[in-house]
Amino acid sequence: MPLYVNNTEISDEQVFAEMQYHPASSLPEAQEKAAQALAIRELLLQEAARLEITAPDATATEEVQEDFLISRLLEQEVITPEPDEVSCQ
């Protein structure tokens, strides 16, 4: 049964292909982990599109472009606070 993330379909085939990266004690657990990873990836790509982040190299593979978009989104949106001297102690 396909998964939908904001009207974007993630097919069973995509989940099955992703399962190899998610070791688990059972097949259903591996499927669930793979589906979660793909759903999160899709949400990140949709947010990158909403923020109009683009990949600089249109000749790169789709996977490389998507990885760039996600990396750029995280660099842009995730703020890591710098600890002060008191916090470090």
Side-chain angles (χ1 to χ4, degrees), residues 1-73:
M1 170 181 257
L3 169 68
Y4 290 89
V5 178
N6 296 329
N7 298 320
T8 299
E9 180 181 351
I10 298 174
S11 69
D12 290 339
E13 291 78 23
Q14 289 171 291
V15 173
F16 295 146
E18 180 71 15
M19 284 172 57
Q20 65 183 318
Y21 305 111
H22 303 278
S25 60
S26 68
L27 181 63
E29 183 183 354
Q31 285 176 312
E32 182 177 341
K33 286 181 175 184
Q36 286 176 349
L38 291 170
I40 291 167
R41 182 177 182 86
E42 181 58 34
L43 287 169
L44 291 169
L45 290 170
Q46 289 178 16
E47 182 64 5
R50 187 185 74 78
L51 295 174
E52 299 180 354
I53 297 171
T54 57
D57 185 2
T59 62
T61 66
E62 182 178 354
E63 183 177 4
V64 168
Q65 289 182 30
E66 289 178 351
D67 287 346
F68 174 85
L69 294 172
I70 291 170
S71 293
R72 185 71 182 117
L73 172 69

Side-chain angles (χ1 to χ4, degrees), residues 81-89:
E82 290 293 322
D84 58 16
E85 187 66 30
V86 173
S87 297
C88 290
Q89 291 185 17

